[in-house]
Amino acid sequence: MKPSIRLVLSLLAPAPALALAPAATAAPLRADHPIIGTWQLTLPDGACREVYRMHPDGSSLVTSAQEVAESSFEIADQPDPRGYYKQVDTIVKDNGKRDCSGEITRPGHVSTTYLLFHPGGNMFLSCLDREGKRCIGPFLRLRGAET
């Protein structure tokens, strides 16, 4: 089975895992920020999907196979000159069940990614850098399933 986004990003850019999740909460986003909404990533073989519910308060709820995880994220208000939004995501809670890749995500895991939105606003790529060479996606907006 293909790895989930969190596993791919953690393998390419490992971050320290903490025993306890941080207590900090993210700052609220502007009402029209392009990340707000519900997004779906379907793995290339179509065997598993991940759904990301990105809330305006900087929290998210992710489902991947049997896993349900909550995170706190910070994302740039505007894209950089190359069009990328820097996002830092911290897992704050996880049900301890396996995701699409068969892995378990631990609270405290931090990942930094760079999101590149399609001009239409209905899809984006998640990249490990601003070069666009190590990306996964597309993440597709799910209409009618808003946060």
Side-chain angles (χ1 to χ4, degrees):
M1 193 173 293
K2 299 291 182 194
S4 72
I5 181 175
R6 239 185 266 109
L7 177 63
V8 169
L9 295 176
S10 68
L11 291 175
L12 293 174
L18 304 174
L20 298 174
T25 58
L29 300 151
R30 62 183 160 88
D32 64 343
H33 198 288
I35 195 64
I36 297 171
T38 302
W39 301 89
Q40 178 176 288
L41 173 68
T42 302
L43 299 184
D45 64 5
C48 196
R49 296 179 310 191
E50 297 185 346
V51 176
Y52 294 74
R53 290 172 181 82
M54 310 301 285
H55 304 288
D57 67 356
S59 68
S60 70
L61 177 67
V62 179
T63 57
S64 173
Q66 297 300 311
E67 177 189 44
V68 178
E70 296 176 26
S71 71
S72 175
F73 69 92
E74 293 182 9
I75 187 166
D77 185 60
Q78 298 293 326
D80 66 19
R82 298 180 80 178
Y84 290 90
Y85 288 81
K86 181 180 178 180
Q87 178 185 21
V88 178
D89 184 86
T90 303
I91 303 298
V92 295
K93 186 176 180 182
D94 189 275
N95 68 352
K97 296 188 179 181
R98 299 195 183 280
D99 63 16
C100 286
S101 66
E103 298 296 318
I104 296 172
T105 306
R106 303 282 182 227
H109 179 80
V110 178
S111 63
T112 300
T113 54
Y114 300 88
L115 308 183
L116 184 62
F117 287 86
H118 183 275
N122 290 320
M123 69 175 84
F124 71 87
L125 295 176
S126 179
C127 305
L128 292 176
D129 55 39
R130 292 179 176 105
E131 301 303 316
K133 296 178 182 175
R134 299 185 300 163
C135 303
I136 59 172
F139 289 76
L140 302 175
R141 185 181 297 278
L142 294 179
R143 293 290 180 191
E146 283 73 21
T147 63

